[in-house]
């Protein structure tokens, strides 16, 4: 069979089934579609899973990151020390607060903020570190927390991709999101570990912050819809501060609750597939599989391989697409995009990772045949790309 007759292999495929369908129908039939009981249940189940005392659901991880910064009082004149090597949402929300993102280069192993470089970027205007557990690999949180403490900075964890990822702290494995910093923010976009279409979650240990997130996601209102609708007495709400509409719907939350039940299977499958990729890719000369530090357990939200020297990234990706296989280039760098071009010095590791790595398909119901096809196509694309560049 030639490639044109084979089923295309997508970059990801959310695992959804009759349970999610039934959950959505249950909500539709209930007549209550927006933030209500399902959202409250999703929050408590999610919080219990990551061992966070408070979990607040919102409409996306971008909304979660924005609320985290607003909740922590980040505003005009402040600096937030972060990475450029991430989805642009983090830089955008810092700007939306009127603050300035200060970009630090990343560590090549974890693709997270380089703890050796961060201190030189901290000045008296810095109010927070916004660190990213990139593509599911925990950043060096232990060291970054110590640095933040030394400089009296809040720590916001962008854990969009990191549900189920673990790191070793004080001699024990711990899930990302407990959280160790001030707030951790998760995403439920279809490229993430579990999905309900769109959605986000903030976890914190701080009850005051959690109360603030709940107000801010609902226009600054002092009472929730469920309390108001369930009250035997008439309730007049008040608006305590300017807020947003960052509500998650009950439709999304009901699907998210079913997704949480699948999480152990999803994590097991992703880890098994990553291990199998590592074995298969060892046969491809010059291709480097992603390393995993001894103190980290990735959920392998994405599997980023470094291409051999001389391989043309775009040509390799195009050849794979011609063979029916979707890939993505290495994680973007915000400082190379128009809004942030002026704001940074060179970030060589970030740029290298964007230009020299590609993300391969990886999703829970991926078959061995599909994985074999990806590896074969990568081998062919590299040979073909190398031939083209030497021709
Ligand atoms: C690291 C990171 N942070 C934040 C986001 C934004 O998430 P959302 O799409 O839920 O707003 C993404 C999305 O790709 C991401 O990868």
């Amino acid at each position: 069979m030639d490639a044109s007759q084979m089923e295309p292999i997508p970059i990801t495929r959310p695992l959804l089934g009759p349970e999610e369908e039934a959950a959505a129908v249950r909500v539709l039939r209930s007549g209550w579609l927006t933030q209500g009981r399902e959202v409250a249940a999703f929050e408590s189940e999610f919080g219990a899973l990551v061992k966070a005392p408070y979990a607040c659901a919102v409409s996306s991880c971008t909304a979660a990151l924005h609320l985290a910064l607003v909740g922590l009082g980040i505003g005009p004149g402040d600096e937030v020390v972060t990475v450029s090597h991430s989805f642009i949402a983090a830089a955008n929300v810092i700007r939306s607060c009127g603050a300035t993102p200060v970009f630090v280069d990343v560590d090549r192993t974890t693709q997270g903020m380089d703890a050796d470089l961060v201190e030189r970027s901290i000045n008296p205007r810095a109010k927070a570190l916004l660190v990213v557990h990139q593509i599911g690999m925990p950043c060096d949180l232990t060291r970054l927390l110590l640095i933040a403490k030394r400089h009296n900075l809040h720590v916001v964890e962008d854990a969009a991709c990191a549900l189920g990822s673990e790191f070793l702290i004080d001699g024990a494995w711990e899930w990302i999101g407990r959280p160790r910093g001030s707030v951790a923010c998760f995403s439920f976009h279809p490229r993430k570990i579990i999905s309900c279409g769109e959605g986000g979650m903030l976890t914190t240990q701080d009850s005051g912050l959690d109360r603030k997130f709940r107000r801010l996601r609902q226009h600054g209102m002092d009472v929730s819809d469920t309390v108001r609708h369930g009250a035997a007495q008439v309730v007049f709400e008040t608006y305590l501060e300017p807020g947003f509409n960052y509500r998650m719907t009950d439709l999304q939350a009901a699907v998210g609750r079913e997704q949480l039940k699948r999480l152990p299977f999803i994590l097991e499958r992703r880890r098994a597939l990553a291990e199998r990729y590592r074995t298969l890719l060892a046969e491809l000369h010059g291709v480097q599989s992603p390393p995993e530090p001894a103190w980290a357990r990735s959920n392998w939200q994405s599997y980023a391989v470094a291409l051999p020297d001389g391989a043309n990234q775009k040509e390799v990706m195009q050849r794979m697409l011609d063979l029916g296989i979707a890939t993505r280039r290495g994680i973007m760098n915000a400082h190379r995009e128009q809004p942030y071009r002026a704001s940074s010095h060179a970030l060589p590791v970030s740029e290298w990772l964007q230009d020299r790595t590609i993300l391969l398909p990886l999703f829970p119901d991926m078959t061995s045949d599909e994985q074999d096809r990806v590896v074969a196509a990568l081998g062919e694309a590299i040979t073909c790309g190398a031939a083209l560049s030497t021709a």
Side-chain angles (χ1 to χ4, degrees):
M1 214 193 297
D2 76 16
S4 61
Q5 294 167 305
M6 290 186 190
E7 274 294 304
I9 302 178
I11 188 75
T12 196
R13 192 157 53 209
L15 196 62
L16 299 163
E19 294 83 356
E20 283 79 1
E21 221 173 288
V25 170
R26 178 178 79 229
V27 174
L28 285 171
R29 289 187 179 152
S30 79
W32 186 292
L33 303 188
T34 193
Q35 183 181 282
R37 288 185 211 295
E38 295 284 347
V39 167
F42 186 33
E43 289 170 341
S44 68
E45 288 159 13
F46 190 95
L49 197 64
V50 301
K51 297 200 170 64
Y54 304 99
C56 173
V58 287
S59 50
S60 68
C61 184
T62 307
L65 290 165
H66 189 208
L67 284 197
L69 296 182
V70 175
L72 291 168
I74 308 295
D78 294 338
E79 289 186 355
V80 177
V81 178
T82 188
V83 292
S84 163
H85 181 71
S86 190
F87 188 56
I88 200 162
N92 285 345
V93 297
I94 295 169
R95 273 275 174 85
S96 302
C97 293
T100 304
V102 176
F103 297 129
V104 177
D105 211 355
V106 295
D107 172 77
R108 192 154 149 177
T109 307
T110 62
Q111 303 208 21
M113 188 181 282
D114 188 333
D116 286 331
L117 301 179
V118 60
E119 274 188 294
R120 68 185 73 154
S121 296
I122 297 172
N123 69 36
R125 288 188 298 281
K127 293 290 180 306
L129 291 189
L130 196 168
V131 302
V132 184
H133 303 295
Q134 196 55 262
I135 53 174
M137 183 64 75
C139 67
D140 191 353
L141 200 53
T142 309
R143 282 185 66 203
L144 291 165
L145 286 168
L146 285 175
I147 294 168
K149 195 166 177 198
R150 209 157 42 237
H151 295 271
N152 202 20
L153 300 174
H154 300 293
V155 176
V156 176
E157 293 172 60
D158 180 341
C161 307
L163 180 58
S165 299
E166 296 173 63
F167 75 120
L168 199 57
I169 183 160
D170 301 332
W173 289 99
E174 183 170 300
W175 276 37
I176 295 293
R178 195 170 156 187
R180 286 286 176 163
S182 313
V183 193
C185 302
F186 293 86
S187 172
F188 307 122
H189 177 272
R191 282 283 304 279
K192 305 305 188 283
I193 296 297
I194 62 166
S195 182
C196 49
E198 298 280 353
M201 190 76 78
L202 299 113
T203 59
T204 182
Q205 320 248 21
D206 181 330
S207 58
L209 261 184
D210 180 66
R211 271 199 303 280
K212 191 151 187 160
F213 298 150
R214 285 167 194 283
R215 271 204 310 276
L216 287 170
R217 74 175 169 180
Q218 164 101 330
H219 307 285
M221 211 190 282
D222 67 341
V223 58
S224 76
D225 285 343
T226 32
V227 168
R228 204 154 44 112
H229 284 256
Q233 308 290 316
V234 171
V235 176
F236 285 171
E237 81 281 12
T238 54
Y239 298 82
L240 301 170
E241 58 191 319
F244 312 92
N245 176 359
Y246 282 163
R247 288 183 299 250
M248 176 181 274
T249 67
D250 262 17
L251 271 166
Q252 292 166 307
V255 171
R257 293 178 69 194
E258 293 304 323
Q259 289 274 284
L260 280 186
K261 294 181 194 158
R262 295 186 192 276
L263 186 58
F265 172 76
I266 290 173
L267 292 171
E268 190 191 312
R269 281 294 299 150
R270 299 192 83 93
R271 288 184 174 132
L273 288 161
E275 205 42 53
R276 191 162 184 275
Y277 261 145
R278 189 177 303 285
T279 309
L280 296 174
L281 291 167
E283 303 295 317
L284 289 191
H285 183 67
V287 173
Q288 291 165 43
S289 281
E292 188 176 42
W295 47 264
R297 280 187 193 146
S298 180
N299 60 13
W300 302 108
Q301 180 270 339
S302 290
Y303 198 83
V305 295
L307 297 175
D309 290 341
N312 180 307
Q313 185 192 44
K314 199 166 182 183
E315 278 168 14
V316 168
M317 292 174 67
Q318 184 60 54
R319 181 69 191 136
M320 291 185 76
L321 194 58
D322 296 342
L323 294 168
I325 291 158
T327 58
R328 294 287 181 271
R329 71 171 170 169
I331 298 301
M332 67 170 297
N333 282 199
H335 77 281
R336 286 168 144 182
E337 301 300 325
Q338 189 59 40
Y340 303 103
R341 259 184 212 154
S343 48
S344 184
H345 47 277
L347 299 165
V349 180
S350 302
E351 292 175 13
W352 186 90
L353 286 165
Q354 183 181 13
D355 297 341
R356 301 300 312 152
T357 63
I358 64 169
L359 313 186
L360 301 181
L362 200 164
F363 41 89
D365 61 359
M366 190 176 197
T367 63
S368 298
D369 278 357
E370 286 176 318
Q371 218 178 7
D372 293 345
R373 267 179 66 202
V374 172
V375 174
L378 177 61
E380 185 183 326
I382 288 167
T383 315
C384 172
L388 284 173
S389 31
T390 51

